[in-house]
Amino acid sequence: MNSINQERVLVDKVGDDVRDVAVHIDPEVTADTAGAVYKRIAIRFIPLLFACYVMAYLDRVNVGFAKLQMLNDLQFSEAIYGLGAGVFFIGYFLFEVPSNLLLHKLGARRWIARIMITWSLLSMCTAWVSSPLQFYVIRFLLGIAEAGFYPGMLLFLTYWFPAHRRGRMVALLTAGNPVSGMLGGPLSGFLMSSMAGVMGMHGWQWLFILEAIPGVLLGFMVLRHLNDRVADAAWLSAEERAMVQRDIDLDNKVKTHGSVTDVFRSGRVWLLALILFCIIMGSYALSFWQPTIIKGTGITDPKLIGLLTIIPYTAALVTMILMGRSADRHRERRWHVIVPALFAACGFVVCANSVHSSMLSMTGLTMVAMGVVSALPMFWALPTSFLGGAGAAAGIALINATANLAGFISPTAIGALKALTGTLSSGLYLVAVSLTLAALLIWACIPSRLVNR
């Protein structure tokens, strides 16, 4: 608590710092000029980062669709699947902070490309697992390979967009989550059905092989198109580069955690890791168990299950973009996380009480998707409002790594509870409680004056 009190003192100085820096802003730089420059930056970077995020999320959760066939083919139990799905996050946790620090040191261009290529090749290797041990090992290595990817992209955005412009950029980037769900469901169902038996392999094997190829290609595109620093952007004029760098410097002026030591000593950073942990419990419950929930209502065709997953993710995509615009327009951050988290919690309760109704289950899943998919990008406006420099690299990675242990605990706990009780309901109630706790912690412990910028 002492560290949090010390941060409050620093936050009280923010207004003075902003006024001190504001006098240096060139009055000739109008809002329209700045808007046009940042639009060019967004057009150059966001579509590529968006495509990378789509493939990252697709490669991470396609095991949820492969489960529909591979459990029978490999004679895996629900508990084996849950542990294998979750062990990914152990490797992810162990290498997240080192990976992001290396990105900060070596540059986003090379490091994000390395992540894309290695994880795609490892995801492809999942097609040839034949035992639980092989499944666990490849999932663990996949977690190591992907460590640092999402926090690395968030860190990259802090190099190019000041806080009051970053909320919408993070929302556009994270739109890859629902889009991957919209595309991944039908695509996975189609591949598993149409490729079964080709060259003597199962449909789920082709799923892992074919969905890995775009990730490798995108890795090489990252090497070609990303710029590590504003000063490297030859496609901007000298005046435009100076304006962007000035905005970033002003943004960094009011940040209170600029070193790795500050991050590890900060009670607020660990609190935010707990909050994100609770939200991610819901995110991966949706990702890993949505096909199973739909199948449990009596729908067994993989193609139809894939098509039905478009509904929740389409609603989530629209909601997330609107929430990002609202948060930036009103410069309000806390309630844009609290409300979606509570809405998702209600959705899990609906799912838990409608296991035999397709209509009610789809309603609950849509509520869950709208809530957790919107809460995740809105959450990242909280830590990036006070983390800067090397502290941002370490802090974003530490929060993300610690919180993503929920990716191990969520599927493992739900799988164990399902094996114990024979139903998903108890696990879904657990996740609803987790999301409610996240909302309460933000409301009670995160001051608006720290994050509302």
Coordinates of all heavy atoms in Angstrom, one line a residue, residues 86-167:
G86 N -3.9 -25.4 -21.4 CA -3.4 -24.5 -20.4 C -1.9 -24.4 -20.2 O -1.4 -23.3 -19.9
V87 N -1.2 -25.5 -20.5 CA 0.3 -25.5 -20.3 C 1.0 -24.5 -21.2 O 2.1 -24.1 -20.9 CB 0.8 -26.9 -20.4 CG1 1.0 -27.3 -21.9 CG2 2.2 -27.1 -19.7
F88 N 0.3 -24.2 -22.3 CA 0.9 -23.1 -23.2 C 1.2 -21.9 -22.3 O 2.3 -21.2 -22.6 CB -0.3 -22.7 -24.2 CG 0.0 -21.4 -24.9 CD1 0.5 -21.5 -26.2 CD2 -0.4 -20.2 -24.4 CE1 0.7 -20.3 -26.9 CE2 -0.3 -19.0 -25.1 CZ 0.3 -19.1 -26.3
F89 N 0.4 -21.5 -21.3 CA 0.6 -20.3 -20.6 C 1.7 -20.4 -19.6 O 2.1 -19.3 -19.0 CB -0.7 -19.9 -20.0 CG -1.8 -19.5 -21.0 CD1 -2.7 -20.5 -21.5 CD2 -1.8 -18.3 -21.6 CE1 -3.6 -20.2 -22.4 CE2 -2.7 -18.0 -22.6 CZ -3.6 -19.0 -23.0
I90 N 2.2 -21.6 -19.2 CA 3.3 -21.7 -18.3 C 4.6 -21.2 -19.1 O 5.3 -20.3 -18.6 CB 3.5 -23.1 -17.9 CG1 2.3 -23.6 -17.1 CG2 4.7 -23.2 -17.0 CD1 1.9 -22.8 -15.9
G91 N 4.8 -21.7 -20.3 CA 5.9 -21.2 -21.1 C 5.7 -19.7 -21.4 O 6.7 -18.9 -21.3
Y92 N 4.5 -19.3 -21.6 CA 4.2 -17.9 -21.9 C 4.6 -17.0 -20.7 O 5.2 -15.9 -20.9 CB 2.7 -17.7 -22.2 CG 2.3 -16.4 -22.9 CD1 2.3 -16.2 -24.2 CD2 1.8 -15.4 -22.1 CE1 1.9 -15.1 -24.8 CE2 1.4 -14.2 -22.6 CZ 1.4 -14.0 -24.0 OH 1.0 -12.9 -24.6
F93 N 4.2 -17.4 -19.5 CA 4.5 -16.7 -18.3 C 6.0 -16.6 -18.1 O 6.5 -15.5 -17.8 CB 3.8 -17.4 -17.1 CG 4.3 -16.8 -15.8 CD1 3.8 -15.6 -15.3 CD2 5.1 -17.6 -15.0 CE1 4.2 -15.1 -14.1 CE2 5.5 -17.1 -13.8 CZ 5.1 -15.9 -13.3
L94 N 6.7 -17.6 -18.2 CA 8.1 -17.7 -17.9 C 9.0 -16.8 -18.8 O 10.0 -16.2 -18.4 CB 8.7 -19.1 -18.0 CG 8.1 -20.1 -16.9 CD1 8.7 -21.5 -17.2 CD2 8.5 -19.6 -15.5
F95 N 8.6 -16.6 -20.0 CA 9.4 -15.9 -21.0 C 8.8 -14.5 -21.4 O 9.4 -13.8 -22.3 CB 9.6 -16.7 -22.2 CG 10.6 -17.9 -22.0 CD1 10.2 -19.1 -21.5 CD2 11.9 -17.7 -22.3 CE1 11.1 -20.1 -21.2 CE2 12.8 -18.7 -22.0 CZ 12.4 -19.9 -21.5
E96 N 7.7 -14.1 -20.8 CA 7.0 -12.9 -21.3 C 7.9 -11.6 -21.0 O 8.1 -10.8 -21.9 CB 5.7 -12.8 -20.6 CG 4.9 -11.5 -21.0 CD 4.0 -11.8 -22.2 OE1 4.5 -12.5 -23.1 OE2 2.9 -11.2 -22.3
V97 N 8.3 -11.5 -19.8 CA 9.1 -10.3 -19.4 C 10.4 -10.2 -20.2 O 10.8 -9.2 -20.8 CB 9.3 -10.2 -17.9 CG1 10.2 -9.0 -17.6 CG2 7.9 -10.0 -17.2
P98 N 11.2 -11.3 -20.2 CA 12.5 -11.3 -21.0 C 12.2 -10.9 -22.4 O 13.0 -10.2 -23.1 CB 13.0 -12.7 -20.8 CG 12.5 -13.2 -19.5 CD 11.1 -12.6 -19.4
S99 N 11.1 -11.5 -23.0 CA 10.9 -11.3 -24.4 C 10.6 -9.8 -24.7 O 11.0 -9.2 -25.6 CB 9.7 -12.1 -24.8 OG 9.4 -11.9 -26.2
N100 N 9.8 -9.2 -23.8 CA 9.4 -7.8 -24.0 C 10.6 -6.8 -23.8 O 10.7 -5.8 -24.5 CB 8.2 -7.4 -23.1 CG 7.2 -6.6 -23.9 OD1 7.0 -6.8 -25.1 ND2 6.6 -5.6 -23.2
L101 N 11.5 -7.2 -22.8 CA 12.7 -6.4 -22.7 C 13.6 -6.5 -23.9 O 14.2 -5.5 -24.3 CB 13.4 -6.8 -21.4 CG 12.7 -6.5 -20.1 CD1 13.4 -7.1 -18.9 CD2 12.6 -4.9 -19.9
L102 N 13.7 -7.7 -24.5 CA 14.5 -7.8 -25.7 C 13.9 -7.0 -26.8 O 14.6 -6.5 -27.6 CB 14.6 -9.3 -26.0 CG 15.6 -10.1 -25.2 CD1 15.4 -11.6 -25.5 CD2 17.0 -9.7 -25.5
L103 N 12.6 -7.0 -26.9 CA 11.9 -6.2 -27.9 C 12.3 -4.7 -27.8 O 12.6 -4.0 -28.7 CB 10.4 -6.4 -27.9 CG 9.6 -5.7 -28.9 CD1 8.3 -6.5 -29.3 CD2 9.1 -4.3 -28.4
H104 N 12.2 -4.3 -26.5 CA 12.6 -2.9 -26.2 C 14.0 -2.6 -26.6 O 14.3 -1.5 -27.1 CB 12.3 -2.6 -24.8 CG 12.6 -1.1 -24.4 ND1 11.8 -0.1 -24.9 CD2 13.5 -0.6 -23.6 CE1 12.3 1.1 -24.4 NE2 13.3 0.8 -23.6
K105 N 14.9 -3.5 -26.5 CA 16.3 -3.3 -26.7 C 16.6 -3.5 -28.2 O 17.4 -2.8 -28.8 CB 17.1 -4.3 -25.9 CG 18.6 -4.2 -26.1 CD 19.4 -5.1 -25.1 CE 20.9 -4.9 -25.3 NZ 21.7 -5.8 -24.4
L106 N 16.1 -4.6 -28.8 CA 16.5 -5.0 -30.2 C 15.6 -4.3 -31.3 O 16.0 -4.3 -32.4 CB 16.4 -6.5 -30.4 CG 17.4 -7.3 -29.4 CD1 17.2 -8.8 -29.6 CD2 18.8 -6.9 -29.7
G107 N 14.4 -3.9 -30.9 CA 13.5 -3.3 -31.8 C 12.3 -4.2 -32.1 O 12.4 -5.4 -32.2
A108 N 11.1 -3.5 -32.3 CA 9.9 -4.3 -32.5 C 9.9 -5.0 -33.8 O 9.3 -6.1 -33.9 CB 8.7 -3.3 -32.4
R109 N 10.5 -4.5 -34.8 CA 10.4 -5.0 -36.2 C 11.0 -6.5 -36.2 O 10.4 -7.4 -36.6 CB 11.2 -4.1 -37.1 CG 11.2 -4.6 -38.6 CD 11.9 -3.6 -39.5 NE 13.3 -3.5 -39.1 CZ 14.3 -4.3 -39.6 NH1 13.9 -5.3 -40.5 NH2 15.5 -4.2 -39.3
R110 N 12.2 -6.6 -35.7 CA 12.9 -7.9 -35.7 C 12.3 -8.9 -34.7 O 12.1 -10.1 -35.0 CB 14.4 -7.8 -35.5 CG 15.2 -7.2 -36.6 CD 16.6 -7.1 -36.3 NE 16.9 -6.0 -35.3 CZ 18.1 -5.8 -34.7 NH1 19.1 -6.5 -35.1 NH2 18.2 -4.8 -33.9
W111 N 11.9 -8.4 -33.6 CA 11.4 -9.3 -32.5 C 10.0 -9.8 -32.8 O 9.7 -11.0 -32.6 CB 11.5 -8.6 -31.1 CG 11.5 -9.7 -30.0 CD1 10.6 -9.9 -29.1 CD2 12.6 -10.6 -29.8 NE1 10.9 -10.9 -28.3 CE2 12.1 -11.4 -28.6 CE3 13.8 -10.9 -30.3 CZ2 12.9 -12.4 -28.1 CZ3 14.5 -12.0 -29.8 CH2 14.1 -12.7 -28.7
I112 N 9.1 -8.9 -33.2 CA 7.8 -9.4 -33.5 C 7.8 -10.4 -34.7 O 7.1 -11.4 -34.7 CB 6.9 -8.2 -33.8 CG1 6.6 -7.4 -32.5 CG2 5.5 -8.7 -34.4 CD1 5.8 -6.2 -32.7
A113 N 8.7 -10.1 -35.7 CA 8.8 -11.0 -36.8 C 9.3 -12.4 -36.4 O 8.8 -13.4 -36.8 CB 9.8 -10.5 -37.9
R114 N 10.3 -12.4 -35.5 CA 10.8 -13.7 -34.9 C 9.7 -14.4 -34.2 O 9.5 -15.7 -34.4 CB 11.9 -13.4 -33.9 CG 12.8 -14.6 -33.5 CD 12.1 -15.4 -32.4 NE 11.7 -14.7 -31.3 CZ 10.9 -15.2 -30.3 NH1 10.3 -16.4 -30.5 NH2 10.5 -14.4 -29.3
I115 N 8.9 -13.7 -33.4 CA 7.8 -14.4 -32.7 C 6.8 -15.0 -33.7 O 6.4 -16.2 -33.5 CB 7.1 -13.4 -31.8 CG1 8.0 -12.9 -30.6 CG2 5.8 -14.0 -31.2 CD1 7.4 -11.8 -29.8
M116 N 6.4 -14.2 -34.7 CA 5.4 -14.7 -35.7 C 5.9 -16.0 -36.4 O 5.2 -17.0 -36.5 CB 5.2 -13.7 -36.8 CG 4.5 -12.4 -36.3 SD 2.7 -12.7 -36.0 CE 2.2 -13.1 -37.7
I117 N 7.2 -16.0 -36.8 CA 7.7 -17.2 -37.6 C 7.8 -18.4 -36.7 O 7.4 -19.5 -37.1 CB 9.0 -16.8 -38.3 CG1 8.7 -15.7 -39.3 CG2 9.6 -18.0 -38.9 CD1 10.0 -15.0 -39.8
T118 N 8.4 -18.3 -35.5 CA 8.7 -19.4 -34.7 C 7.4 -20.0 -34.1 O 7.2 -21.3 -34.1 CB 9.6 -19.1 -33.5 OG1 9.1 -18.0 -32.8 CG2 11.0 -18.8 -34.0
W119 N 6.4 -19.2 -33.7 CA 5.2 -19.8 -33.2 C 4.4 -20.4 -34.3 O 3.8 -21.5 -34.0 CB 4.4 -18.8 -32.3 CG 3.2 -18.3 -33.0 CD1 2.1 -19.0 -33.4 CD2 2.8 -16.9 -33.2 NE1 1.1 -18.2 -33.9 CE2 1.5 -16.9 -33.8 CE3 3.4 -15.7 -33.0 CZ2 0.9 -15.8 -34.2 CZ3 2.8 -14.6 -33.3 CH2 1.5 -14.6 -33.9
S120 N 4.4 -19.9 -35.5 CA 3.6 -20.5 -36.5 C 4.2 -21.9 -36.9 O 3.4 -22.8 -37.1 CB 3.6 -19.6 -37.8 OG 3.0 -18.4 -37.5
L121 N 5.5 -22.0 -36.9 CA 6.1 -23.3 -37.2 C 5.8 -24.3 -36.1 O 5.5 -25.5 -36.4 CB 7.6 -23.2 -37.4 CG 8.0 -22.4 -38.7 CD1 9.5 -22.2 -38.7 CD2 7.5 -23.0 -39.9
L122 N 5.8 -23.9 -34.9 CA 5.5 -24.8 -33.7 C 4.0 -25.2 -33.7 O 3.7 -26.3 -33.4 CB 5.9 -24.1 -32.4 CG 7.4 -24.1 -32.1 CD1 7.7 -23.2 -30.9 CD2 7.8 -25.6 -31.8
S123 N 3.2 -24.2 -34.1 CA 1.7 -24.6 -34.2 C 1.5 -25.6 -35.2 O 0.7 -26.5 -35.0 CB 0.9 -23.3 -34.5 OG -0.5 -23.6 -34.6
M124 N 2.2 -25.5 -36.3 CA 2.1 -26.5 -37.4 C 2.5 -27.9 -36.9 O 1.9 -28.9 -37.2 CB 3.0 -26.1 -38.6 CG 2.9 -27.1 -39.8 SD 4.0 -26.6 -41.1 CE 3.3 -25.0 -41.6
C125 N 3.5 -28.0 -36.0 CA 4.0 -29.3 -35.5 C 2.9 -30.0 -34.6 O 3.0 -31.2 -34.4 CB 5.2 -29.0 -34.7 SG 6.7 -28.6 -35.7
T126 N 1.9 -29.2 -34.1 CA 0.9 -29.8 -33.3 C 0.1 -30.9 -34.1 O -0.5 -31.8 -33.5 CB -0.1 -28.8 -32.8 OG1 0.6 -27.7 -32.2 CG2 -1.1 -29.4 -31.7
A127 N 0.2 -30.8 -35.4 CA -0.5 -31.8 -36.3 C 0.0 -33.2 -36.1 O -0.7 -34.2 -36.4 CB -0.4 -31.3 -37.7
W128 N 1.2 -33.3 -35.6 CA 1.8 -34.7 -35.6 C 2.0 -35.2 -34.1 O 2.7 -36.2 -33.9 CB 3.2 -34.6 -36.3 CG 3.0 -34.5 -37.8 CD1 2.6 -35.4 -38.7 CD2 3.1 -33.2 -38.5 NE1 2.5 -34.9 -39.9 CE2 2.8 -33.5 -39.9 CE3 3.5 -31.9 -38.2 CZ2 2.9 -32.6 -40.9 CZ3 3.5 -31.0 -39.2 CH2 3.2 -31.3 -40.5
V129 N 1.3 -34.6 -33.2 CA 1.4 -35.1 -31.8 C 0.6 -36.4 -31.8 O -0.4 -36.6 -32.5 CB 0.9 -34.2 -30.7 CG1 1.7 -32.9 -30.7 CG2 -0.6 -33.9 -30.9
S130 N 1.0 -37.4 -30.9 CA 0.3 -38.6 -30.8 C 0.1 -39.1 -29.4 O -0.4 -40.2 -29.2 CB 1.0 -39.7 -31.7 OG 2.4 -39.9 -31.2
S131 N 0.7 -38.4 -28.4 CA 0.6 -38.8 -27.0 C 0.3 -37.6 -26.2 O 0.7 -36.4 -26.6 CB 1.8 -39.5 -26.6 OG 2.9 -38.6 -26.5
P132 N -0.2 -37.7 -25.0 CA -0.4 -36.6 -24.1 C 0.9 -35.8 -23.8 O 1.0 -34.6 -23.8 CB -0.9 -37.2 -22.8 CG -1.6 -38.4 -23.2 CD -0.8 -39.0 -24.4
L133 N 2.1 -36.5 -23.6 CA 3.3 -35.9 -23.4 C 3.7 -35.0 -24.5 O 4.2 -33.8 -24.3 CB 4.4 -36.9 -23.1 CG 5.8 -36.3 -22.8 CD1 5.8 -35.4 -21.6 CD2 6.8 -37.4 -22.6
Q134 N 3.6 -35.5 -25.8 CA 4.0 -34.7 -26.9 C 3.1 -33.5 -27.0 O 3.5 -32.4 -27.4 CB 3.8 -35.5 -28.2 CG 4.9 -36.6 -28.3 CD 4.6 -37.5 -29.5 OE1 3.6 -37.4 -30.2 NE2 5.5 -38.4 -29.8
F135 N 1.8 -33.6 -26.7 CA 0.8 -32.5 -26.7 C 1.2 -31.5 -25.7 O 1.3 -30.3 -26.0 CB -0.6 -33.1 -26.4 CG -1.7 -32.0 -26.5 CD1 -1.8 -31.2 -27.5 CD2 -2.6 -32.0 -25.4 CE1 -2.8 -30.3 -27.6 CE2 -3.6 -31.0 -25.5 CZ -3.7 -30.2 -26.6
Y136 N 1.6 -31.9 -24.5 CA 2.0 -30.9 -23.5 C 3.3 -30.2 -23.9 O 3.4 -29.0 -23.7 CB 2.3 -31.7 -22.1 CG 1.1 -32.4 -21.6 CD1 1.3 -33.5 -20.7 CD2 -0.2 -31.9 -21.8 CE1 0.2 -34.1 -20.2 CE2 -1.3 -32.6 -21.3 CZ -1.1 -33.7 -20.5 OH -2.2 -34.4 -19.9
V137 N 4.3 -30.9 -24.4 CA 5.6 -30.3 -24.8 C 5.4 -29.3 -25.9 O 5.9 -28.2 -25.8 CB 6.6 -31.4 -25.2 CG1 7.8 -30.8 -25.8 CG2 7.0 -32.3 -24.0
I138 N 4.6 -29.6 -26.9 CA 4.5 -28.7 -28.0 C 3.7 -27.5 -27.6 O 4.0 -26.3 -28.0 CB 3.8 -29.4 -29.3 CG1 4.1 -28.6 -30.5 CG2 2.3 -29.5 -29.1 CD1 5.6 -28.7 -31.0
R139 N 2.7 -27.6 -26.7 CA 2.0 -26.5 -26.2 C 2.9 -25.6 -25.4 O 2.8 -24.3 -25.4 CB 0.8 -26.9 -25.4 CG -0.3 -27.6 -26.3 CD -1.1 -26.6 -27.1 NE -1.8 -25.6 -26.4 CZ -2.4 -24.6 -26.9 NH1 -2.4 -24.4 -28.2 NH2 -3.1 -23.8 -26.2
F140 N 3.7 -26.2 -24.6 CA 4.7 -25.4 -23.7 C 5.6 -24.6 -24.6 O 5.9 -23.4 -24.4 CB 5.4 -26.4 -22.8 CG 6.4 -25.7 -21.9 CD1 6.0 -25.0 -20.8 CD2 7.8 -25.8 -22.2 CE1 7.0 -24.3 -20.0 CE2 8.7 -25.1 -21.4 CZ 8.3 -24.4 -20.3
L141 N 6.2 -25.3 -25.6 CA 7.1 -24.6 -26.5 C 6.4 -23.5 -27.3 O 7.0 -22.4 -27.6 CB 7.8 -25.6 -27.5 CG 8.7 -26.6 -26.9 CD1 9.2 -27.6 -27.9 CD2 9.9 -25.9 -26.2
L142 N 5.1 -23.7 -27.6 CA 4.4 -22.7 -28.3 C 4.2 -21.4 -27.5 O 4.3 -20.3 -28.0 CB 3.0 -23.3 -28.7 CG 2.1 -22.4 -29.6 CD1 2.8 -22.2 -31.0 CD2 0.8 -23.1 -29.8
G143 N 4.0 -21.7 -26.2 CA 3.9 -20.5 -25.2 C 5.2 -19.7 -25.2 O 5.2 -18.5 -25.1
I144 N 6.3 -20.4 -25.1 CA 7.6 -19.8 -25.1 C 7.8 -18.9 -26.4 O 8.2 -17.8 -26.3 CB 8.8 -20.8 -25.0 CG1 8.7 -21.4 -23.6 CG2 10.1 -20.1 -25.2 CD1 9.7 -22.6 -23.5
A145 N 7.4 -19.5 -27.5 CA 7.6 -18.8 -28.8 C 6.8 -17.5 -28.9 O 7.2 -16.5 -29.4 CB 7.3 -19.8 -30.0
E146 N 5.5 -17.6 -28.4 CA 4.6 -16.5 -28.5 C 4.8 -15.4 -27.4 O 4.3 -14.3 -27.5 CB 3.2 -17.0 -28.6 CG 2.2 -15.9 -29.0 CD 0.8 -16.4 -29.1 OE1 0.6 -17.5 -29.5 OE2 -0.1 -15.5 -28.8
A147 N 5.5 -15.8 -26.4 CA 5.7 -14.8 -25.3 C 6.2 -13.5 -25.8 O 7.1 -13.4 -26.6 CB 6.7 -15.4 -24.3
G148 N 5.5 -12.4 -25.3 CA 5.9 -11.1 -25.7 C 5.2 -10.5 -26.9 O 5.4 -9.3 -27.2
F149 N 4.4 -11.3 -27.6 CA 3.8 -10.8 -28.8 C 2.8 -9.7 -28.6 O 3.0 -8.5 -29.0 CB 3.1 -11.9 -29.5 CG 2.4 -11.5 -30.8 CD1 3.1 -11.1 -31.9 CD2 1.0 -11.5 -30.8 CE1 2.4 -10.7 -33.0 CE2 0.3 -11.1 -32.0 CZ 1.0 -10.7 -33.1
Y150 N 1.7 -9.9 -27.8 CA 0.7 -8.9 -27.6 C 1.2 -7.7 -26.8 O 1.1 -6.6 -27.2 CB -0.5 -9.5 -26.9 CG -1.6 -8.5 -26.7 CD1 -2.2 -7.9 -27.8 CD2 -2.1 -8.2 -25.5 CE1 -3.3 -7.0 -27.7 CE2 -3.2 -7.3 -25.3 CZ -3.7 -6.7 -26.4 OH -4.7 -5.8 -26.3
P151 N 1.9 -7.9 -25.6 CA 2.5 -6.8 -25.0 C 3.5 -6.0 -25.8 O 3.7 -4.8 -25.7 CB 3.1 -7.3 -23.7 CG 3.3 -8.8 -24.0 CD 2.2 -9.2 -24.9
G152 N 4.2 -6.8 -26.7 CA 5.1 -6.1 -27.6 C 4.4 -5.2 -28.5 O 4.9 -4.0 -28.8
M153 N 3.3 -5.6 -29.0 CA 2.5 -4.7 -29.9 C 2.0 -3.5 -29.2 O 1.9 -2.4 -29.7 CB 1.4 -5.5 -30.6 CG 1.9 -6.5 -31.7 SD 0.7 -7.0 -32.9 CE -0.4 -7.9 -31.8
L154 N 1.5 -3.7 -27.9 CA 1.1 -2.6 -27.1 C 2.2 -1.6 -26.8 O 2.0 -0.4 -26.9 CB 0.5 -3.1 -25.8 CG -0.8 -3.9 -25.8 CD1 -1.1 -4.5 -24.5 CD2 -1.9 -3.1 -26.4
L155 N 3.4 -2.1 -26.6 CA 4.5 -1.3 -26.3 C 4.9 -0.5 -27.6 O 5.2 0.7 -27.6 CB 5.7 -2.1 -25.9 CG 7.0 -1.4 -25.6 CD1 6.8 -0.5 -24.4 CD2 8.2 -2.4 -25.3
F156 N 4.8 -1.2 -28.8 CA 5.0 -0.5 -30.0 C 4.1 0.7 -30.2 O 4.5 1.7 -30.7 CB 4.9 -1.5 -31.2 CG 5.1 -0.9 -32.5 CD1 6.3 -0.6 -33.0 CD2 4.0 -0.6 -33.3 CE1 6.5 -0.1 -34.3 CE2 4.1 -0.1 -34.6 CZ 5.4 0.2 -35.1
L157 N 2.8 0.5 -29.9 CA 1.8 1.6 -30.0 C 2.2 2.8 -29.1 O 1.9 3.9 -29.5 CB 0.4 1.1 -29.7 CG -0.2 0.1 -30.7 CD1 -1.6 -0.3 -30.3 CD2 -0.2 0.6 -32.1
T158 N 2.8 2.5 -28.0 CA 3.2 3.7 -27.1 C 4.3 4.5 -27.7 O 4.5 5.6 -27.3 CB 3.6 3.2 -25.7 OG1 4.9 2.4 -25.8 CG2 2.6 2.3 -25.0
Y159 N 5.1 3.9 -28.7 CA 6.1 4.6 -29.4 C 5.6 5.6 -30.4 O 6.3 6.5 -30.9 CB 7.1 3.7 -30.0 CG 7.8 2.7 -29.1 CD1 8.4 1.5 -29.6 CD2 8.0 3.0 -27.8 CE1 9.1 0.7 -28.8 CE2 8.7 2.1 -27.0 CZ 9.2 0.9 -27.5 OH 9.9 0.1 -26.7
W160 N 4.3 5.3 -30.8 CA 3.8 6.1 -32.0 C 2.5 6.9 -31.7 O 2.2 7.8 -32.4 CB 3.5 5.1 -33.1 CG 4.7 4.6 -33.8 CD1 5.5 3.5 -33.5 CD2 5.4 5.3 -34.9 NE1 6.6 3.4 -34.3 CE2 6.6 4.5 -35.2 CE3 5.2 6.4 -35.6 CZ2 7.5 4.9 -36.2 CZ3 6.1 6.8 -36.6 CH2 7.2 6.0 -36.9
F161 N 1.8 6.5 -30.6 CA 0.5 7.2 -30.3 C 0.5 7.6 -28.9 O 0.7 6.8 -28.0 CB -0.7 6.3 -30.6 CG -0.8 5.8 -32.0 CD1 -0.3 4.6 -32.4 CD2 -1.5 6.6 -32.9 CE1 -0.4 4.2 -33.8 CE2 -1.6 6.2 -34.2 CZ -1.1 5.0 -34.7
P162 N 0.2 8.9 -28.6 CA 0.0 9.4 -27.2 C -1.3 8.8 -26.6 O -2.1 8.3 -27.3 CB -0.1 10.9 -27.4 CG -0.6 11.1 -28.8 CD 0.0 10.0 -29.6
A163 N -1.4 8.9 -25.3 CA -2.4 8.3 -24.6 C -3.8 8.6 -25.1 O -4.7 7.7 -25.2 CB -2.3 8.6 -23.1
H164 N -4.1 9.9 -25.4 CA -5.4 10.2 -25.8 C -5.8 9.8 -27.2 O -7.0 9.9 -27.6 CB -5.6 11.8 -25.7 CG -4.8 12.6 -26.7 ND1 -3.5 12.9 -26.5 CD2 -5.2 13.1 -27.9 CE1 -3.1 13.6 -27.5 NE2 -4.1 13.7 -28.4
R165 N -4.9 9.2 -27.9 CA -5.2 8.6 -29.3 C -5.0 7.1 -29.2 O -5.4 6.5 -30.2 CB -4.2 9.2 -30.3 CG -4.4 10.7 -30.5 CD -3.4 11.2 -31.6 NE -3.5 12.6 -31.8 CZ -4.4 13.3 -32.6 NH1 -5.3 12.5 -33.3 NH2 -4.4 14.6 -32.7
R166 N -4.5 6.6 -28.2 CA -4.1 5.2 -28.2 C -5.3 4.2 -27.9 O -5.3 3.1 -28.4 CB -3.0 4.9 -27.1 CG -2.2 3.7 -27.4 CD -1.2 3.5 -26.3 NE -0.4 4.7 -26.1 CZ -0.1 5.2 -24.9 NH1 -0.6 4.7 -23.8 NH2 0.6 6.3 -24.9
G167 N -6.3 4.7 -27.2 CA -7.4 3.8 -26.9 C -8.1 3.2 -28.1 O -8.3 2.0 -28.2

